[in-house]
Amino acid sequence: MDSQLDWHAARAALEWQLEMGVTEAISDTPINRFEQVAPPPKAGVSAGAQAPAVPVQAAQTFDPVAEAEAAANAAQDLPALQAAMAAYPHCELQKGARNLVFCDGVAGARVMIVGEAPGRDEDRIGKPFVGRAGQLLDRMLSAIDLGRDREGAQAVYITNVLPWRPPQNRDPKPDEMAMMLPFLKRHIALAKPDLLVVMGNISCQALLGKRGITRLRGQWDEAVGLPVLPMFHPAYLLRNPAAKREAWADLLDLQARLNTKA
Ligand code: URA
């Protein structure tokens, strides 16, 4: 293999590992840090005086959710909230993500859409819903005269439950959702929408404490003092085009509600 080929092969292998969720460079031999023991005693210390080998385990002395609440509530505007999220140290997802995906669209829009988590394209670009599901979302919104690039009453604001891409697009874990929820709630409070559209089970779980999108969709609910419309996630609609009929009904319902409360 010449050195050029070598370079490309190495780069492709590295990108593949990133894609698979590898977040850290480690040594040739794996280290199980949970099994690590305290270092041996210094020369001259008698065997009897030696303390027993104690497994080194980092005791969790902090409350990640309380810390998230304090950081989120201290943020007085959206840029400060984004900075607080970037500085928050307890969500492991951050280590594997390329970008913090915060928002797109118009802050202050009447409609705020809450998706689940960034995928590969969103992670790469740093904006929510820019992949295939996002393109479908844009078409859905445009069908009822809404859009992230529009102004005034037609504008939409978009965010996700999680700002970092989970490795291999796995579902977020309960602790990850719990620690990022204070940031989402503060995000909603600062963006001041009239209503929320929550797309998919993860978003329903985060804001309504419920799952079962097939049952929940189209039923107006309430969270953080706002009306909430659960809808099928556009990625689900791409896999199940027959469900677009229900999604269309929900969009019309959303449009009717916006028109009556103009
Ligand atoms: N799916 C989501 O829920 N959010 C995104 O930003 C992209 C895909």
Side-chain angles (χ1 to χ4, degrees), residues 25 27-28 36 44 63 75 80 113 118 122 127 130 149 151 155 164 174 179-180 217 223 225 235 237 242:
S27 58
D28 288 343
Q36 272 185 308
D63 176 348
I113 294 177
E122 291 76 19
K127 285 189 178 177
V130 292
D149 297 327
E151 291 174 0
W164 295 293
M179 66 178 83
M180 297 318 291
R217 61 137 284 274
L237 295 174

Side-chain angles (χ1 to χ4, degrees), residues 36-47 49-54 56:
Q36 272 185 308
V37 292
K42 293 200 180 89
V45 178
S46 76
Q50 282 177 25
V54 179
V56 176

Side-chain angles (χ1 to χ4, degrees), residues 18-175:
L18 276 177
E19 207 42 51
M20 300 307 288
V22 173
T23 56
E24 195 182 349
I26 53 172
S27 58
D28 288 343
T29 18
I31 302 167
N32 185 344
R33 296 184 196 278
F34 291 102
E35 280 176 2
Q36 272 185 308
V37 292
K42 293 200 180 89
V45 178
S46 76
Q50 282 177 25
V54 179
V56 176
Q57 288 214 355
Q60 185 165 312
T61 53
F62 57 89
D63 176 348
V65 176
E67 281 192 28
E69 270 161 9
N73 293 337
Q76 296 307 309
D77 55 26
L78 292 167
L81 182 67
Q82 183 170 358
M85 289 164 78
Y88 180 71
H90 303 307
C91 187
E92 289 289 309
L93 295 175
Q94 183 175 23
K95 294 188 187 150
R98 292 180 198 191
N99 275 303
L100 186 154
V101 175
F102 187 64
C103 71
D104 200 11
V106 181
R110 296 178 70 196
V111 178
M112 180 164 178
I113 294 177
V114 181
E116 300 186 338
R120 190 184 50 180
D121 295 325
E122 291 76 19
D123 181 45
R124 195 167 42 84
I125 291 170
K127 285 189 178 177
F129 282 105
V130 292
R132 278 185 69 223
Q135 287 156 21
L136 176 56
L137 174 63
D138 285 337
R139 290 199 296 279
M140 290 163 66
L141 294 172
S142 155
I144 55 165
D145 289 327
L146 296 177
R148 61 177 111 187
D149 297 327
R150 302 197 188 195
E151 291 174 0
Q154 296 184 333
V156 163
Y157 186 61
I158 306 178
T159 192
N160 282 312
V161 172
L162 288 177
W164 295 293
R165 181 193 184 195
Q168 296 161 271
N169 295 344
R170 66 155 169 77
D171 276 356
K173 296 180 187 165
D175 66 319

Side-chain angles (χ1 to χ4, degrees), residues 1-21:
M1 210 187 275
D2 70 23
S3 65
Q4 273 297 316
L5 243 182
D6 227 8
W7 185 88
H8 287 295
R11 190 186 163 109
L14 187 60
E15 281 177 354
W16 179 80
Q17 289 180 47
L18 276 177
E19 207 42 51
M20 300 307 288

